[in-house]
Amino acid sequence: MEAVYHAQETRGKADFGWLKSRHTFSFSSYYEPNRMQFGKLRVLNDDIVIGGKGFPPHPHENMEIVSIPLSGSLEHKDSEGNSSVIQAGEVQIMSAGTGIVHSEYNASPTEQVNFLQIWILPDKMGIAPRYEQKKFNVEDRQGKFQTVVSPEKGNGAVWINQDVSFSLAHGKKEFKIDYILKNENRGVYFFLISGSVEIEGKKLSARDGLGLWAPSKMEIHFLEESEILAIDTPK
């Protein structure tokens, strides 16, 4: 079993006053050649934006960009005419494709917003830009994995232009659940949002990451009440 562990304190840092960001993988001015990607996962940023501030309009192309709010509200606008606010419990995806310009602002003038911004390398290049968001019932991830991003259409998750899936799980102390890969040619990157868990003998604390090219079945042991994100990717 191949494994890569990223302790939360080893992540890259950016602090612009209005934005505090931690980078699991190389991003912007943070460059670490051993932390470029895991499978098709290219960027995993943990962003905090203060009230009334945000990212002004900027372009993207040929990237699948997933936003997962953890607290607060995030306002999205783009050149395709989409305008919306996403909150905790929702997941947003934007296929940049041939090119799209978008902005992301804290929807509150006073409260901060914390969200994960995740970039996935696309399967097909040059597709038409698209946008989707969905609210999920968080009760459906209690003690099990809930798929929120999927390459398969019509299964209740938001669709992504890549053979990658995102799943979220919430467990109470001493609970154990299994994560099962589709096949042996895949891996999974676990990002612990909160709490502490043990996976295949490795203990993770909040905001730690663990990537495994592993046997198809892995056990997650919740050492305390915790929430975890699993990103399932081909090599």
Side-chain angles (χ1 to χ4, degrees), residues 31-66:
Y31 175 71
E32 171 51 61
N34 294 321
R35 295 175 72 154
M36 292 303 298
Q37 64 191 82
F38 180 85
K40 302 299 181 180
L41 170 60
R42 175 61 189 86
V43 168
L44 201 171
N45 289 350
D46 185 359
D47 292 342
I48 295 175
V49 178
I50 66 172
K53 299 295 183 179
F55 302 90
H58 57 282
H60 292 285
E61 63 180 32
N62 288 318
M63 191 66 70
E64 298 292 299
I65 301 174
V66 177

mmCIF file of all heavy atoms in Angstrom, residues 31-66:
data_model
loop_
_atom_site.group_PDB
_atom_site.id
_atom_site.type_symbol
_atom_site.label_atom_id
_atom_site.label_comp_id
_atom_site.label_asym_id
_atom_site.label_seq_id
_atom_site.Cartn_x
_atom_site.Cartn_y
_atom_site.Cartn_z
ATOM 1 N N TYR A 31 5.032 26.643 -3.665
ATOM 2 C CA TYR A 31 5.479 25.593 -4.591
ATOM 3 C C TYR A 31 6.288 24.560 -3.836
ATOM 4 O O TYR A 31 7.306 24.867 -3.208
ATOM 5 C CB TYR A 31 6.324 26.180 -5.722
ATOM 6 C CG TYR A 31 6.897 25.115 -6.632
ATOM 7 C CD1 TYR A 31 6.064 24.395 -7.495
ATOM 8 C CD2 TYR A 31 8.252 24.804 -6.605
ATOM 9 C CE1 TYR A 31 6.581 23.400 -8.321
ATOM 10 C CE2 TYR A 31 8.777 23.813 -7.426
ATOM 11 C CZ TYR A 31 7.933 23.117 -8.279
ATOM 12 O OH TYR A 31 8.437 22.123 -9.085
ATOM 13 N N GLU A 32 5.819 23.333 -3.888
ATOM 14 C CA GLU A 32 6.518 22.192 -3.309
ATOM 15 C C GLU A 32 6.452 21.061 -4.336
ATOM 16 O O GLU A 32 5.367 20.523 -4.599
ATOM 17 C CB GLU A 32 5.860 21.782 -1.996
ATOM 18 C CG GLU A 32 6.362 20.473 -1.423
ATOM 19 C CD GLU A 32 7.873 20.407 -1.314
ATOM 20 O OE1 GLU A 32 8.441 21.234 -0.587
ATOM 21 O OE2 GLU A 32 8.463 19.531 -1.987
ATOM 22 N N PRO A 33 7.581 20.713 -4.974
ATOM 23 C CA PRO A 33 7.554 19.734 -6.068
ATOM 24 C C PRO A 33 7.004 18.372 -5.673
ATOM 25 O O PRO A 33 6.518 17.633 -6.535
ATOM 26 C CB PRO A 33 9.021 19.652 -6.505
ATOM 27 C CG PRO A 33 9.814 20.208 -5.369
ATOM 28 C CD PRO A 33 8.948 21.236 -4.727
ATOM 29 N N ASN A 34 7.079 18.024 -4.394
ATOM 30 C CA ASN A 34 6.540 16.738 -3.954
ATOM 31 C C ASN A 34 5.052 16.802 -3.612
ATOM 32 O O ASN A 34 4.473 15.802 -3.198
ATOM 33 C CB ASN A 34 7.321 16.243 -2.732
ATOM 34 C CG ASN A 34 8.765 15.921 -3.070
ATOM 35 O OD1 ASN A 34 9.057 15.374 -4.128
ATOM 36 N ND2 ASN A 34 9.677 16.290 -2.173
ATOM 37 N N ARG A 35 4.470 17.994 -3.793
ATOM 38 C CA ARG A 35 3.053 18.159 -3.471
ATOM 39 C C ARG A 35 2.348 18.861 -4.624
ATOM 40 O O ARG A 35 1.769 19.933 -4.470
ATOM 41 C CB ARG A 35 2.899 18.931 -2.158
ATOM 42 C CG ARG A 35 3.447 18.149 -0.972
ATOM 43 C CD ARG A 35 3.432 18.929 0.323
ATOM 44 N NE ARG A 35 2.099 19.110 0.856
ATOM 45 C CZ ARG A 35 1.851 19.301 2.162
ATOM 46 N NH1 ARG A 35 2.848 19.310 3.037
ATOM 47 N NH2 ARG A 35 0.631 19.477 2.586
ATOM 48 N N MET A 36 2.392 18.219 -5.789
ATOM 49 C CA MET A 36 1.771 18.798 -6.973
ATOM 50 C C MET A 36 0.335 18.302 -7.170
ATOM 51 O O MET A 36 -0.525 19.057 -7.632
ATOM 52 C CB MET A 36 2.599 18.491 -8.218
ATOM 53 C CG MET A 36 3.953 19.185 -8.246
ATOM 54 S SD MET A 36 3.854 20.993 -8.101
ATOM 55 C CE MET A 36 2.926 21.414 -9.571
ATOM 56 N N GLN A 37 0.088 17.047 -6.862
ATOM 57 C CA GLN A 37 -1.252 16.497 -7.052
ATOM 58 C C GLN A 37 -1.309 15.098 -6.457
ATOM 59 O O GLN A 37 -0.284 14.513 -6.092
ATOM 60 C CB GLN A 37 -1.627 16.447 -8.535
ATOM 61 C CG GLN A 37 -0.764 15.521 -9.380
ATOM 62 C CD GLN A 37 -1.002 15.711 -10.854
ATOM 63 O OE1 GLN A 37 -0.444 16.617 -11.465
ATOM 64 N NE2 GLN A 37 -1.843 14.865 -11.439
ATOM 65 N N PHE A 38 -2.518 14.580 -6.369
ATOM 66 C CA PHE A 38 -2.740 13.179 -6.004
ATOM 67 C C PHE A 38 -3.748 12.645 -7.010
ATOM 68 O O PHE A 38 -4.925 13.010 -6.974
ATOM 69 C CB PHE A 38 -3.282 13.060 -4.573
ATOM 70 C CG PHE A 38 -3.530 11.635 -4.148
ATOM 71 C CD1 PHE A 38 -2.498 10.861 -3.629
ATOM 72 C CD2 PHE A 38 -4.784 11.056 -4.287
ATOM 73 C CE1 PHE A 38 -2.726 9.541 -3.248
ATOM 74 C CE2 PHE A 38 -5.020 9.744 -3.905
ATOM 75 C CZ PHE A 38 -3.989 8.982 -3.383
ATOM 76 N N GLY A 39 -3.283 11.793 -7.925
ATOM 77 C CA GLY A 39 -4.166 11.358 -9.005
ATOM 78 C C GLY A 39 -4.637 12.560 -9.795
ATOM 79 O O GLY A 39 -3.835 13.385 -10.235
ATOM 80 N N LYS A 40 -5.942 12.718 -9.950
ATOM 81 C CA LYS A 40 -6.522 13.849 -10.680
ATOM 82 C C LYS A 40 -6.794 15.052 -9.778
ATOM 83 O O LYS A 40 -7.232 16.096 -10.242
ATOM 84 C CB LYS A 40 -7.820 13.425 -11.364
ATOM 85 C CG LYS A 40 -7.659 12.270 -12.341
ATOM 86 C CD LYS A 40 -6.701 12.606 -13.479
ATOM 87 C CE LYS A 40 -6.580 11.443 -14.459
ATOM 88 N NZ LYS A 40 -5.646 11.756 -15.574
ATOM 89 N N LEU A 41 -6.525 14.907 -8.474
ATOM 90 C CA LEU A 41 -6.700 16.004 -7.523
ATOM 91 C C LEU A 41 -5.497 16.936 -7.612
ATOM 92 O O LEU A 41 -4.374 16.541 -7.327
ATOM 93 C CB LEU A 41 -6.839 15.438 -6.105
ATOM 94 C CG LEU A 41 -6.787 16.420 -4.938
ATOM 95 C CD1 LEU A 41 -7.899 17.459 -5.033
ATOM 96 C CD2 LEU A 41 -6.848 15.671 -3.606
ATOM 97 N N ARG A 42 -5.750 18.178 -7.989
ATOM 98 C CA ARG A 42 -4.655 19.130 -8.212
ATOM 99 C C ARG A 42 -4.541 20.198 -7.125
ATOM 100 O O ARG A 42 -3.429 20.605 -6.744
ATOM 101 C CB ARG A 42 -4.841 19.802 -9.590
ATOM 102 C CG ARG A 42 -3.848 20.899 -9.914
ATOM 103 C CD ARG A 42 -2.421 20.396 -9.935
ATOM 104 N NE ARG A 42 -1.479 21.506 -10.043
ATOM 105 C CZ ARG A 42 -1.011 22.193 -9.017
ATOM 106 N NH1 ARG A 42 -1.364 21.893 -7.776
ATOM 107 N NH2 ARG A 42 -0.162 23.191 -9.204
ATOM 108 N N VAL A 43 -5.664 20.697 -6.609
ATOM 109 C CA VAL A 43 -5.660 21.771 -5.618
ATOM 110 C C VAL A 43 -6.661 21.448 -4.523
ATOM 111 O O VAL A 43 -7.780 20.998 -4.805
ATOM 112 C CB VAL A 43 -6.022 23.139 -6.265
ATOM 113 C CG1 VAL A 43 -6.310 24.198 -5.206
ATOM 114 C CG2 VAL A 43 -4.915 23.610 -7.198
ATOM 115 N N LEU A 44 -6.251 21.679 -3.266
ATOM 116 C CA LEU A 44 -7.170 21.577 -2.134
ATOM 117 C C LEU A 44 -6.847 22.737 -1.200
ATOM 118 O O LEU A 44 -5.911 22.665 -0.416
ATOM 119 C CB LEU A 44 -7.028 20.229 -1.421
ATOM 120 C CG LEU A 44 -8.207 19.757 -0.555
ATOM 121 C CD1 LEU A 44 -8.006 18.306 -0.107
ATOM 122 C CD2 LEU A 44 -8.464 20.637 0.647
ATOM 123 N N ASN A 45 -7.615 23.811 -1.333
ATOM 124 C CA ASN A 45 -7.387 25.012 -0.542
ATOM 125 C C ASN A 45 -8.456 25.150 0.532
ATOM 126 O O ASN A 45 -9.643 24.928 0.279
ATOM 127 C CB ASN A 45 -7.403 26.266 -1.421
ATOM 128 C CG ASN A 45 -6.175 26.365 -2.309
ATOM 129 O OD1 ASN A 45 -5.221 25.610 -2.145
ATOM 130 N ND2 ASN A 45 -6.195 27.290 -3.248
ATOM 131 N N ASP A 46 -8.033 25.541 1.699
ATOM 132 C CA ASP A 46 -8.887 25.769 2.865
ATOM 133 C C ASP A 46 -8.917 27.277 3.083
ATOM 134 O O ASP A 46 -7.985 27.846 3.652
ATOM 135 C CB ASP A 46 -8.269 25.025 4.056
ATOM 136 C CG ASP A 46 -9.106 25.068 5.319
ATOM 137 O OD1 ASP A 46 -10.178 25.700 5.308
ATOM 138 O OD2 ASP A 46 -8.675 24.467 6.323
ATOM 139 N N ASP A 47 -9.994 27.947 2.618
ATOM 140 C CA ASP A 47 -10.043 29.404 2.552
ATOM 141 C C ASP A 47 -10.973 29.998 3.597
ATOM 142 O O ASP A 47 -12.089 29.491 3.804
ATOM 143 C CB ASP A 47 -10.520 29.862 1.173
ATOM 144 C CG ASP A 47 -9.524 29.571 0.067
ATOM 145 O OD1 ASP A 47 -8.343 29.337 0.371
ATOM 146 O OD2 ASP A 47 -9.927 29.588 -1.112
ATOM 147 N N ILE A 48 -10.532 31.093 4.212
ATOM 148 C CA ILE A 48 -11.372 31.904 5.096
ATOM 149 C C ILE A 48 -11.373 33.328 4.555
ATOM 150 O O ILE A 48 -10.307 33.938 4.368
ATOM 151 C CB ILE A 48 -10.854 31.881 6.545
ATOM 152 C CG1 ILE A 48 -10.948 30.468 7.133
ATOM 153 C CG2 ILE A 48 -11.646 32.878 7.403
ATOM 154 C CD1 ILE A 48 -10.349 30.343 8.525
ATOM 155 N N VAL A 49 -12.575 33.852 4.280
ATOM 156 C CA VAL A 49 -12.736 35.210 3.752
ATOM 157 C C VAL A 49 -13.559 36.023 4.754
ATOM 158 O O VAL A 49 -14.620 35.579 5.190
ATOM 159 C CB VAL A 49 -13.441 35.193 2.380
ATOM 160 C CG1 VAL A 49 -13.651 36.617 1.874
ATOM 161 C CG2 VAL A 49 -12.630 34.394 1.368
ATOM 162 N N ILE A 50 -13.072 37.209 5.112
ATOM 163 C CA ILE A 50 -13.789 38.036 6.073
ATOM 164 C C ILE A 50 -15.045 38.636 5.434
ATOM 165 O O ILE A 50 -15.214 38.622 4.213
ATOM 166 C CB ILE A 50 -12.890 39.151 6.647
ATOM 167 C CG1 ILE A 50 -12.512 40.162 5.553
ATOM 168 C CG2 ILE A 50 -11.649 38.559 7.290
ATOM 169 C CD1 ILE A 50 -11.787 41.394 6.110
ATOM 170 N N GLY A 51 -15.921 39.179 6.275
ATOM 171 C CA GLY A 51 -17.176 39.736 5.803
ATOM 172 C C GLY A 51 -16.996 40.836 4.771
ATOM 173 O O GLY A 51 -16.130 41.701 4.919
ATOM 174 N N GLY A 52 -17.811 40.790 3.716
ATOM 175 C CA GLY A 52 -17.827 41.830 2.704
ATOM 176 C C GLY A 52 -16.702 41.783 1.696
ATOM 177 O O GLY A 52 -16.638 42.628 0.792
ATOM 178 N N LYS A 53 -15.813 40.799 1.792
ATOM 179 C CA LYS A 53 -14.675 40.712 0.874
ATOM 180 C C LYS A 53 -14.771 39.443 0.025
ATOM 181 O O LYS A 53 -15.600 38.574 0.258
ATOM 182 C CB LYS A 53 -13.363 40.727 1.647
ATOM 183 C CG LYS A 53 -13.128 41.985 2.463
ATOM 184 C CD LYS A 53 -12.982 43.216 1.574
ATOM 185 C CE LYS A 53 -12.664 44.448 2.397
ATOM 186 N NZ LYS A 53 -12.484 45.659 1.564
ATOM 187 N N GLY A 54 -13.869 39.337 -0.967
ATOM 188 C CA GLY A 54 -13.880 38.154 -1.804
ATOM 189 C C GLY A 54 -12.972 38.277 -3.006
ATOM 190 O O GLY A 54 -12.191 39.220 -3.132
ATOM 191 N N PHE A 55 -13.101 37.310 -3.894
ATOM 192 C CA PHE A 55 -12.288 37.238 -5.102
ATOM 193 C C PHE A 55 -13.004 37.984 -6.227
ATOM 194 O O PHE A 55 -14.099 37.581 -6.635
ATOM 195 C CB PHE A 55 -12.068 35.786 -5.519
ATOM 196 C CG PHE A 55 -11.402 34.923 -4.478
ATOM 197 C CD1 PHE A 55 -12.155 34.235 -3.538
ATOM 198 C CD2 PHE A 55 -10.026 34.796 -4.442
ATOM 199 C CE1 PHE A 55 -11.551 33.436 -2.583
ATOM 200 C CE2 PHE A 55 -9.403 33.992 -3.484
ATOM 201 C CZ PHE A 55 -10.175 33.318 -2.547
ATOM 202 N N PRO A 56 -12.438 39.065 -6.766
ATOM 203 C CA PRO A 56 -13.070 39.765 -7.885
ATOM 204 C C PRO A 56 -13.067 38.897 -9.135
ATOM 205 O O PRO A 56 -12.421 37.841 -9.165
ATOM 206 C CB PRO A 56 -12.195 41.006 -8.051
ATOM 207 C CG PRO A 56 -10.867 40.617 -7.504
ATOM 208 C CD PRO A 56 -11.150 39.667 -6.383
ATOM 209 N N PRO A 57 -13.797 39.302 -10.189
ATOM 210 C CA PRO A 57 -13.869 38.486 -11.405
ATOM 211 C C PRO A 57 -12.490 38.086 -11.931
ATOM 212 O O PRO A 57 -11.596 38.927 -12.066
ATOM 213 C CB PRO A 57 -14.608 39.395 -12.394
ATOM 214 C CG PRO A 57 -15.462 40.258 -11.521
ATOM 215 C CD PRO A 57 -14.625 40.518 -10.291
ATOM 216 N N HIS A 58 -12.328 36.795 -12.207
ATOM 217 C CA HIS A 58 -11.066 36.267 -12.708
ATOM 218 C C HIS A 58 -11.365 35.040 -13.580
ATOM 219 O O HIS A 58 -12.378 34.375 -13.384
ATOM 220 C CB HIS A 58 -10.112 35.910 -11.562
ATOM 221 C CG HIS A 58 -10.686 34.930 -10.592
ATOM 222 N ND1 HIS A 58 -11.607 35.281 -9.619
ATOM 223 C CD2 HIS A 58 -10.488 33.595 -10.425
ATOM 224 C CE1 HIS A 58 -11.945 34.226 -8.917
ATOM 225 N NE2 HIS A 58 -11.278 33.182 -9.385
ATOM 226 N N PRO A 59 -10.494 34.728 -14.539
ATOM 227 C CA PRO A 59 -10.780 33.657 -15.496
ATOM 228 C C PRO A 59 -10.236 32.292 -15.078
ATOM 229 O O PRO A 59 -9.273 32.188 -14.320
ATOM 230 C CB PRO A 59 -10.065 34.140 -16.765
ATOM 231 C CG PRO A 59 -8.865 34.877 -16.229
ATOM 232 C CD PRO A 59 -9.318 35.536 -14.957
ATOM 233 N N HIS A 60 -10.888 31.250 -15.585
ATOM 234 C CA HIS A 60 -10.403 29.878 -15.488
ATOM 235 C C HIS A 60 -10.718 29.181 -16.805
ATOM 236 O O HIS A 60 -11.659 29.556 -17.515
ATOM 237 C CB HIS A 60 -11.111 29.105 -14.369
ATOM 238 C CG HIS A 60 -10.796 29.558 -12.995
ATOM 239 N ND1 HIS A 60 -9.602 29.280 -12.377
ATOM 240 C CD2 HIS A 60 -11.526 30.281 -12.105
ATOM 241 C CE1 HIS A 60 -9.602 29.803 -11.158
ATOM 242 N NE2 HIS A 60 -10.760 30.415 -10.969
ATOM 243 N N GLU A 61 -9.953 28.136 -17.104
ATOM 244 C CA GLU A 61 -10.301 27.280 -18.235
ATOM 245 C C GLU A 61 -9.785 25.866 -17.990
ATOM 246 O O GLU A 61 -8.815 25.666 -17.257
ATOM 247 C CB GLU A 61 -9.750 27.827 -19.553
ATOM 248 C CG GLU A 61 -8.247 27.897 -19.650
ATOM 249 C CD GLU A 61 -7.781 28.455 -20.990
ATOM 250 O OE1 GLU A 61 -8.485 29.297 -21.583
ATOM 251 O OE2 GLU A 61 -6.700 28.032 -21.440
ATOM 252 N N ASN A 62 -10.502 24.903 -18.557
ATOM 253 C CA ASN A 62 -10.122 23.484 -18.500
ATOM 254 C C ASN A 62 -9.716 23.033 -17.093
ATOM 255 O O ASN A 62 -8.627 22.492 -16.875
ATOM 256 C CB ASN A 62 -9.002 23.200 -19.508
ATOM 257 C CG ASN A 62 -9.519 23.242 -20.933
ATOM 258 O OD1 ASN A 62 -10.604 22.734 -21.219
ATOM 259 N ND2 ASN A 62 -8.775 23.857 -21.823
ATOM 260 N N MET A 63 -10.631 23.239 -16.156
ATOM 261 C CA MET A 63 -10.449 22.759 -14.797
ATOM 262 C C MET A 63 -11.836 22.534 -14.196
ATOM 263 O O MET A 63 -12.774 23.273 -14.488
ATOM 264 C CB MET A 63 -9.668 23.761 -13.950
ATOM 265 C CG MET A 63 -9.223 23.220 -12.602
ATOM 266 S SD MET A 63 -7.996 21.887 -12.723
ATOM 267 C CE MET A 63 -6.549 22.771 -13.315
ATOM 268 N N GLU A 64 -11.956 21.487 -13.384
ATOM 269 C CA GLU A 64 -13.187 21.237 -12.634
ATOM 270 C C GLU A 64 -12.990 21.810 -11.231
ATOM 271 O O GLU A 64 -12.078 21.376 -10.512
ATOM 272 C CB GLU A 64 -13.479 19.732 -12.558
ATOM 273 C CG GLU A 64 -13.697 19.078 -13.913
ATOM 274 C CD GLU A 64 -14.967 19.546 -14.590
ATOM 275 O OE1 GLU A 64 -16.061 19.339 -14.021
ATOM 276 O OE2 GLU A 64 -14.862 20.135 -15.695
ATOM 277 N N ILE A 65 -13.795 22.790 -10.846
ATOM 278 C CA ILE A 65 -13.604 23.508 -9.590
ATOM 279 C C ILE A 65 -14.806 23.262 -8.680
ATOM 280 O O ILE A 65 -15.943 23.595 -9.011
ATOM 281 C CB ILE A 65 -13.415 25.015 -9.846
ATOM 282 C CG1 ILE A 65 -12.190 25.233 -10.745
ATOM 283 C CG2 ILE A 65 -13.253 25.764 -8.522
ATOM 284 C CD1 ILE A 65 -11.987 26.669 -11.182
ATOM 285 N N VAL A 66 -14.520 22.661 -7.529
ATOM 286 C CA VAL A 66 -15.557 22.309 -6.561
ATOM 287 C C VAL A 66 -15.397 23.182 -5.325
ATOM 288 O O VAL A 66 -14.285 23.318 -4.796
ATOM 289 C CB VAL A 66 -15.463 20.821 -6.168
ATOM 290 C CG1 VAL A 66 -16.506 20.476 -5.099
ATOM 291 C CG2 VAL A 66 -15.633 19.928 -7.388
#
